[in-house]
């Protein structure tokens, strides 16, 4: 209850130590924890401008037969909104962590990779969770409170039930009136092909991008007729520029003036290369207006002016 620890072995059967009774002597741990906290906050969809600290709460040791019955974490300090659990190298079987929220269930099976490496899981405090009974061995873990330390609303798990209904209805209507058009939603973050190929589901993505993909996956689970893929949008423009100074003979420079032709394409991971309409399919349609080109070339042609080409990819 709050900052007070009450042990009820019908609810939780485990050994525990408060932070004042043990030490973490690894000199690199603070840096690793900071990086881990940033990654966790991105995955949870916490607003990027909020400052968050992971504050050590307990060291827990589970043995054969130990468990933690379904419960929600109480707010142990002001600003706490979630829990981070780091499972230290330890050998055990069983002990699956089950997290539930608004009809969705995630099961973290960490026993198989626990012997020689650390693992982590994180969730919002209002998510109901449990640790299933250990069937053998010992599970050793550090528990941290995720605490908001800056101004702003406290992060919390989203209730997407209403949005899911609207998305499912919209996809049904779209399917009935489908004319071949697609929705090309530009991401907020850049991703490598390897990261997309090797990642799984919304875990491939960051921040708001991950939240959008998770919503799509939930809608598909609920029966929405939706398919999605990840790719790279490429824009090639031809036009003309103007010469500043003495051009290529005097070491001068060129300035882009106007595009006379634009070619837009989308290369998808699973479906290959397809054409897209910038005005009708891309969101936002003005995405490339504020972007710097990846490549830009100018070719003076005497009295005809300066031909120009530039390419974008995102």
């Amino acid at each position: 209850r709050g900052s007070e620890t009450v042990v009820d072995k019908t609810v939780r059967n485990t050994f525990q130590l408060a932070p004042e009774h043990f030490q973490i002597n690894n000199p690199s741990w603070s840096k690793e924890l900071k990086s881990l906290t940033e990654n966790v906050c991105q995955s949870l969809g916490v607003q990027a401008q909020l400052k968050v600290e992971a504050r050590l709460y307990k060291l827990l040791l589970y043995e054969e037969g130990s468990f933690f019955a379904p419960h929600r974490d109480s707010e142990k300090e002001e600003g706490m909104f979630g829990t981070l659990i780091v499972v230290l190298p330890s050998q055990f079987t069983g002990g699956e962590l089950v997290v539930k929220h608004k009809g969705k269930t995630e099961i973290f099976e960490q026993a198989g990779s626990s012997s020689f490496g650390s693992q982590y899981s994180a969730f919002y405090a209002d998510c109901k969770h449990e640790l299933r009974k250990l069937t053998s061995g010992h599970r050793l873990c550090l528990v941290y409170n995720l605490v908001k330390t800056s101004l702003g609303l406290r992060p919390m798990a989203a209730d997407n039930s209403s949005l899911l209904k609207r998305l499912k209805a919209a996809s049904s209507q779209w399917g009935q009136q489908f004319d071949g058009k697609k929705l090309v939603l530009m991401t907020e973050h850049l991703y490598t092909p390897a990261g997309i190929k090797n990642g799984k589901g919304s875990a491939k993505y960051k921040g708001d991008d991950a939240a959008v993909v998770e919503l799509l996956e939930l809608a598909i689970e609920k029966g929405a007729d939706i398919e999605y893929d990840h790719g790279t949008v490429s824009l090639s423009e031809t036009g003309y520029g103007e010469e500043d100074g003495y051009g290529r003979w005097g070491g001068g420079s060129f300035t882009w003036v106007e595009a006379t032709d634009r070619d837009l394409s989308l290369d998808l991971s699973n479906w290959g290369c397809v054409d897209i309409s910038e005005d009708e399919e891309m969101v936002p349609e003005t995405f490339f207006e504020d972007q710097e080109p990846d490549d830009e070339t100018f070719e003076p042609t005497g009295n005809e002016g300066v031909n120009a080409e530039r390419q974008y990819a995102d």
Side-chain angles (χ1 to χ4, degrees):
R1 291 195 301 260
S3 60
E4 179 187 358
T5 300
V6 178
V7 177
D8 180 350
K9 289 195 173 183
T10 65
V11 175
R12 178 177 65 183
N13 184 12
T14 183
F15 300 99
Q16 59 181 316
L17 285 176
E20 60 267 25
H21 297 304
F22 66 94
Q23 291 182 333
I24 299 175
N25 294 323
N26 187 334
S28 64
W29 179 240
S30 294
K31 182 179 179 181
E32 293 293 331
L33 180 62
K34 182 179 179 181
S35 177
L36 177 58
T37 303
E38 291 173 353
N39 292 336
V40 162
C41 286
Q42 276 195 341
S43 298
L44 291 176
V46 176
Q47 294 178 338
Q49 68 269 24
L50 290 182
K51 293 182 179 180
V52 175
E53 290 182 7
R55 296 179 178 172
L56 186 58
Y57 173 61
K58 295 283 187 183
L59 174 69
L60 298 181
L61 177 64
Y62 294 84
E63 61 180 357
E64 182 178 340
S66 294
F67 64 92
F68 204 158
H71 66 286
R72 291 184 175 87
D73 288 341
S74 59
E75 184 179 349
K76 301 175 181 69
E77 56 182 303
E78 185 177 357
M80 177 185 167
F81 65 89
T83 299
L84 167 64
I85 301 174
V86 180
V87 180
L88 302 174
S90 45
Q91 291 187 327
F92 63 92
T93 59
E96 298 87 358
L97 176 64
V98 182
V99 182
K100 298 181 179 181
H101 180 70
K102 299 294 182 181
K104 183 180 179 182
T105 301
E106 290 284 348
I107 300 178
F108 298 89
E109 298 182 0
Q110 299 170 318
S113 304
S114 65
S115 297
F116 302 104
S118 297
Q119 302 174 77
Y120 70 90
S121 53
F123 43 86
Y124 283 101
D126 58 344
C127 293
K128 180 174 278 191
H129 55 282
E130 66 173 302
L131 188 80
R132 292 174 177 170
K133 186 177 293 187
L134 258 69
T135 54
S136 70
H138 294 82
R139 179 181 186 266
L140 184 66
C141 61
L142 296 168
V143 181
Y144 289 86
N145 298 330
L146 294 174
V147 181
K148 179 186 72 69
T149 60
S150 61
L151 296 176
L153 296 176
R154 187 175 66 172
M156 60 187 301
D159 181 0
N160 293 323
S161 54
S162 175
L163 191 55
L164 282 172
K165 290 180 181 179
R166 290 164 54 196
L167 183 56
K168 186 176 179 181
S171 69
S172 176
Q173 184 178 5
W174 191 2
Q176 294 171 7
Q177 303 172 356
F178 185 64
D179 58 0
K181 289 188 175 67
K182 53 203 165 292
L183 182 64
V184 181
L185 180 62
M186 305 302 291
T187 59
E188 292 194 2
H189 298 271
L190 292 176
Y191 303 92
T192 63
I196 293 300
K197 180 180 179 180
N198 298 327
K200 182 179 179 182
S202 60
K204 301 177 184 180
Y205 302 91
K206 305 173 184 177
D208 289 345
D209 299 335
V212 170
V213 174
E214 184 174 1
L215 186 63
L216 289 174
E217 291 176 335
L218 284 172
I220 292 170
E221 287 181 11
K222 299 294 184 181
D225 186 14
I226 297 174
E227 293 182 333
Y228 73 91
D229 198 1
H230 182 100
T232 300
V233 175
S234 298
L235 170 64
S236 178
E237 290 185 320
T238 57
Y240 64 91
E242 61 182 12
E243 189 175 351
D244 302 325
Y246 296 99
R248 61 183 176 185
W249 296 281
S253 60
F254 300 92
T255 301
W256 183 274
V257 176
E258 185 177 0
T260 57
D261 187 51
R262 292 164 67 88
D263 181 43
L264 202 64
S265 64
L266 172 61
D267 187 11
L268 293 166
S269 298
N270 298 313
W271 301 333
C273 194
V274 296
D275 293 329
I276 61 173
S277 168
E278 191 170 11
D279 296 332
E280 297 182 357
E281 295 181 324
M282 208 166 97
V283 179
E285 62 186 60
T286 58
F287 177 82
F288 285 111
E289 287 186 4
D290 298 325
Q291 305 295 316
E292 291 292 328
D294 296 300
D295 185 44
E296 192 172 53
T297 59
F298 298 92
E299 183 180 357
T301 58
N303 293 334
E304 295 182 8
V306 180
N307 291 336
E309 293 184 0
R310 59 185 180 181
Q311 289 78 37
Y312 304 80
D314 207 294

